Amino acid sequence: MIDKCKELAAYARSIRARLIATVLLAAVCAGTVVAAATAAYTVTIVDDGQVRSVITTRSDASAILEQAKVELGADDQLVLSDFVSGEDSTITIHRAKQVTVSDGKGFSKTLMAAGTVADAVAKSGMTLKDSDVLNFARDTLLEEGMVISVQVAFPVQITADGESTEVEVVGGTVEEAILAAGIALDEDDESTPAREEPATQGMQVRVDRVEYKFRTQTETIAYKKITEKSVSMYTDQRKVVQKGQNGEKEVTYKERYVNGELVKTTVDSEKILKEAVNQKTLVGTLRRINKIKLKNGLTPISDLEVPSYVKIDANGVPTKYKKIVDGKAAAYSGGWGTASGRKPMPGHIAVDPKQFPYGTEMWIVSADGKYVYGYAIAADTGGFVQQKTFTVDLYMHSYEEACEWGARQVRIYVL
């Protein structure tokens, strides 16, 4: 019985010890918490750029500002990103400023806002896109009276190389929109609308890849056929006096390719390698007259004496001759000499010496049968030779006779 009592007494003493230890531990912990809660720390207050510090044991930012006697307006902005309760840290205050936000297209709003340019735009009701452009950096702090201009980006669709890309721009040219879409342009590439046109909202732009290629080849220059009139040939006569020969040239072509397809070819340059020789053909202008009937009683105009070996028939033309040349005769008078040295007179006529050498004897009558010029000798060179307009030029007694003759078709009997 005595031993049992001793055992119970020892157990009671251990429980009391445990209770005392627990009470003491609780008291120590409570003292630590109280000490931590009441420790002072420094808070730096940046108020619209002005800096002050406050030593506080308060944990709430509002309470700290109250302690520092700092009041906030309805539009002021409190920034607590750098504040940590119980630690040395910073509270930032941005005071409200009156600013104006405008998009340049009719929207304009003046308001009280605090913080950054982006904060003021958001408060104005506008939603900024990454592609919008502002006249200030978005994180610029607001200043009193600031006017914030927002260039609102709009979409432009660019189609190039078989793909379409939408890019947002705030203006500029079509070319700038293309480059903004990350599409490279070569110097010859083209766009529709043109590169220099202003970009507009909803515009659809097509880029055409343009390339130029040059090709050189040798080509034939075809000769031309030239026809000249000859007064010494009949209308049914033609004679090629110069044969035609083709020439050669080196031609460089400029080929325009659009999106890989050839759309236009132009001549860039030409180099003549061999000139072409034109073919020249003489065509007669004389009408053939089978027989000329002279009027009765015509007196020859020529003053030359007819040689005895020249016999004239009843119609007034020679009975014998070497050939007949039908042509056209002009008339003239006056002058002091001839190319052959013979004296100017009716009967000494002007000719083309290549056709009728000086001294050639002839008998000439008009094709209409109205005149007999008579016996004539080639004595001078006619002024018509270069133009090849006449066959002979007949000397007359007077200017009036020459005018009366004018220009007539004649038949020339070469004796």
Side-chain angles (χ1 to χ4, degrees):
M1 186 66 178
I2 294 173
D3 293 335
K4 188 65 173 177
C5 290
K6 290 180 179 180
E7 185 179 342
L8 291 172
Y11 180 71
R13 284 196 300 271
S14 66
I15 291 176
R16 184 172 56 188
R18 290 177 189 173
L19 291 173
I20 293 172
T22 300
V23 171
L24 289 174
L25 180 60
V28 170
C29 291
T32 301
V33 171
V34 171
T38 58
Y41 62 99
T42 301
V43 175
T44 300
I45 300 174
V46 180
D47 189 352
D48 224 21
Q50 296 183 355
V51 181
R52 59 183 292 192
S53 298
V54 59
I55 298 174
T56 184
T57 58
R58 302 184 183 187
S59 58
D60 183 70
S62 299
I64 296 172
L65 292 177
E66 183 181 355
Q67 175 186 338
K69 297 182 179 179
V70 175
E71 296 182 357
L72 293 177
D75 296 307
D76 294 339
Q77 184 183 79
L78 180 64
V79 181
L80 299 178
S81 56
D82 295 328
F83 172 70
V84 180
S85 179
E87 296 181 8
D88 293 346
S89 53
T90 301
I91 295 174
T92 301
I93 300 171
H94 295 307
R95 297 296 180 178
K97 308 289 192 304
Q98 180 174 294
V99 297
T100 300
V101 178
S102 172
D103 67 355
K105 296 181 180 180
F107 174 83
S108 180
K109 187 174 183 179
T110 300
L111 67 155
M112 297 298 296
T116 64
V117 166
D119 293 330
V121 174
K123 190 173 181 180
S124 74
M126 293 185 66
T127 301
L128 280 179
K129 302 190 295 287
D130 291 340
S131 51
D132 293 340
V133 175
L134 285 71
N135 59 335
F136 297 101
R138 300 190 183 203
D139 59 357
T140 302
L141 291 176
L142 296 174
E143 296 181 4
E144 185 67 28
M146 180 181 281
V147 177
I148 302 168
S149 177
V150 181
Q151 290 180 279
V152 180
F154 52 83
V156 174
Q157 188 179 66
I158 315 291
T159 299
D161 306 317
E163 296 183 356
S164 293
T165 303
E166 187 173 273
V167 62
E168 289 200 342
V169 297
V170 296
T173 63
V174 168
E175 180 174 2
E176 290 170 337
I178 295 171
L179 297 177
I183 299 172
L185 287 174
D186 288 339
E187 181 180 357
D188 295 325
D189 290 341
E190 298 176 352
S191 68
T192 306
R195 293 191 188 196
E196 64 274 10
E197 290 293 319
T200 57
Q201 184 167 355
M203 176 180 280
Q204 293 187 345
V205 178
R206 186 186 76 246
V207 176
D208 291 318
R209 300 300 187 183
V210 178
E211 182 182 8
Y212 291 97
K213 296 181 181 179
F214 293 87
R215 171 174 54 85
T216 301
Q217 65 185 43
T218 301
E219 297 181 0
T220 298
I221 304 174
Y223 66 82
K224 296 179 180 179
K225 294 182 178 181
I226 299 175
T227 301
E228 293 184 355
K229 293 180 179 181
S230 172
V231 297
S232 61
M233 296 171 60
Y234 293 105
T235 55
D236 58 354
Q237 291 179 317
R238 298 173 66 89
K239 183 179 180 181
V240 177
V241 295
Q242 179 174 284
K243 291 185 177 180
Q245 292 183 352
N246 291 331
E248 283 187 343
K249 61 182 178 180
E250 187 179 79
V251 184
T252 299
Y253 290 97
K254 183 178 182 180
E255 298 177 331
R256 173 181 166 89
Y257 289 82
V258 178
N259 299 324
E261 294 185 7
L262 177 61
V263 297
K264 187 177 182 181
T265 300
T266 56
V267 174
D268 185 70
S269 64
E270 287 188 3
K271 180 181 178 182
I272 304 298
L273 303 178
K274 185 176 73 173
E275 293 283 358
V277 177
N278 294 329
Q279 179 170 295
K280 187 182 295 184
T281 303
L282 295 181
V283 177
T285 61
L286 297 178
R287 292 186 296 107
R288 287 189 181 274
I289 304 173
N290 294 327
K291 187 176 181 180
I292 298 176
K293 179 66 176 177
L294 297 174
K295 290 184 177 181
N296 294 329
L298 293 177
T299 302
I301 297 173
S302 172
D303 289 341
L304 296 180
E305 183 178 347
V306 181
S308 59
Y309 55 81
V310 177
K311 304 300 181 182
I312 306 301
D313 65 14
N315 188 41
V317 297
T319 57
K320 293 182 179 181
Y321 47 85
K322 294 179 181 178
K323 64 178 180 179
I324 291 176
V325 176
D326 285 340
K328 192 174 184 180
Y332 72 107
S333 64
W336 303 100
T338 64
S340 66
R342 299 174 187 267
K343 98 176 188 180
M345 62 177 293
H348 291 161
I349 65 173
V351 298
D352 180 350
K354 292 181 180 179
Q355 183 180 14
F356 302 113
Y358 295 143
T360 300
E361 296 175 271
M362 297 169 256
W363 185 270
I364 302 173
V365 298
S366 67
D368 58 10
K370 294 180 179 181
Y371 294 91
V372 174
Y373 188 77
Y375 180 67
I377 296 175
D380 204 357
T381 299
F384 59 84
V385 172
Q386 296 297 327
Q387 291 77 26
K388 299 184 183 300
T389 51
F390 296 98
T391 310
V392 293
D393 202 355
L394 306 179
Y395 194 95
M396 299 292 180
H397 293 95
S398 65
Y399 174 76
E400 288 73 20
E401 274 190 10
C403 291
E404 182 182 348
W405 176 272
R408 294 177 181 273
Q409 294 294 127
V410 295
R411 175 163 287 182
I412 302 169
Y413 297 89
V414 180
L415 303 175

